[in-house]
Amino acid sequence: MSQASNAALRARDLAHVWHPCTQMKDHERELPLLPIRSARGVWLTDHDGKRYIDAISSWWVNLHGHAEPRINAAVQAQLAAAPHVMFAGLTHEPALRLAEELVALAAPGLTRCFFADSGSAAIEIAVKMSFHFWQNSGRPRKTRFVTLANSYHGETLGALAVGNVELYKAIYRPLLMDVITTPSPDAYQRAPGETAVDVARRRGAELEALLAAQADEIAAVIVEPLVQCAGNMRMHDPEYLRIVRAACTRHGVHLIADEIAVGFGRTGTLFACERAAITPDFLCLSKGLTAGYLPMSVVLTSEDVYRAFYDEYAKLTAFLHSHSYAGNPLGCAAALASLAIFREDRVLERNRDTAALLEKTVRAAFEDHPQVAEVRCSGMIVAVEYVRERETRTPYDWRERRSLAMHRHALERGVLLRPLGNVLYFMPPYVISAAEIDTMVSVARTAFDLALQDR
Ligand SMILES: *Cc1c(COP(=O)(O)O)cnc(C)c1O
C-alpha cells in the first residue's frame, strides 16, 4: 500500500484531477482534499493515518459498511469467473439472478429490469422509455414531463431537465427540454396549523388538477418518494405518493419513482414506495444497489410497458438504448451479496433500532439550539435544518459558506459530513454502532457551533 503522505497526494491530485461537484479553487486553501488510503466499516483512513467516520455513506451509496467481507468475497469470486462481458446478445447468471430477486422484492407489477451504469442513466432510460411508450402506443402528443419543485434526478441533460435544483441547472437551461414544474409536498413548507398530511393533500390536489387539464401532452410524472435528498433532505408524507399514483392512473400518465437515493432500506422499508403501497410504472435504482461498491443502476418497469416495445424488428419499435457496461457482472455480484446480507443480518429490522437511536441522539444534541428550525427523520436519514433566525426561518446567506465551515471543522475532528445548503444531515452506513453514533453526533455539534459563530 502507498506510504505517500496526504500532502504529497494532494499536490499530485491538484496537478491533473478535476473533482465532481467542486470549485477546484476551494481545494487550494479553504478545504484541503482528503486522500483516503483505506475504508472499513464506517471508517475512512487517510494517508497520514487519521480516521474519519463516513457519516454520509460516501454520497449515500454505502449500506453495510466499507470492505464488507461477504461482498468482497462475492466480487472476488466474480472477478475470477468473468469480470465483464457485453450485455447485448449475451447474458449471465449474476444479472438474471439479480433481475429475479429485484422483481420478487419490488412492488407487484414490476416485472422487467433494464440495467445501466449510473443513477442519471437510469433516469434517462425511464424518461426515454415513457416517451417512447406513448409514441409506440399511438399517443404521439404525450411528450412532456412533470417534475416537483426542489427535485433532483442527476446531471446528464435529460436528468438535469427533469430536476429542479437551480444551482446545478440554471446555467444549462438553453440545453434542456422544457418541463412542467409542480410545487413540492415538502412538509417543511407547511402553513401554520397544517400537518404533513395536509400539505401532501393540498399539493396532491394541485397535481391532480394539472393532470386533468394537460394529461393529453404529459408522458410521466417523476417523483423522489419520501425524501428529496439533494434538495436539502426535504421530506413529505407518503399520502402524496398515494394521491399521485391514483391521479396518474386516472389520467393515463406514467409515474416514475426515482429511488436512487432512498431505495434499499434508507427510509426504513426496502423501497420507499412500500410506505404508500403503490407500484410506479418505472422504478429507478442505483446508489445502494451495489451497497456502494460498483457503479450500476437498473430501471424496473411493467409488462405493459415492455409489451409496447415488443414486436417484429422491422416495425422499429425496440428500445435501442445501451451502455457499454450495462449489466456488469461484478456489480451484479455485489448487489446479490448485498441482498443476501439484508436477509442474513435482518438489516431492516436492526435498522429500526439504529434509526431510533440516531434520531434520539441528534434530537438531543440539536433540537433546542436557537439556530435549528427543524430536525426531521426518515429511517436512516436524519437532517437538521439551520437558520439565521428561528422565528422567521430566515436562512444564512449562502455566501457565508457556513456549511463549508461545518464540513471543515468536522473533518478536523474525524467525521466526514457534507452539509447541503443550510442542512446538516446524517446518513451513515447501516452498520454504525451506538458508540460511533455518539462520536459522530457530538463532533457534528461542535462543528455546528464553530461554523455558526458570528464572523
Ligand atoms: C444521486 C442521484 C441521482 C443521480 O445518480 P448518479 O449515479 O449520481 O448519476 C438521481 N436521482 C437521485 C434521487 C439521486 O440521489
Side-chain angles (χ1 to χ4, degrees), residues 59-61 117-123 151-156 159 222-225 227-230 258-262 284 286-287 295-297 427:
W59 256 355
W60 324 338
V61 299
D117 53 12
S118 71
S120 300
I123 298 297
S151 58
Y152 178 83
H153 299 291
E155 303 292 346
T156 56
I222 181 165
V223 175
E224 293 160 90
V227 190
Q228 296 185 313
C229 292
D258 176 354
E259 293 218 20
I260 290 164
V262 294
C284 300
S286 185
K287 293 203 165 100
M296 175 170 219
S297 62
M427 202 157 161

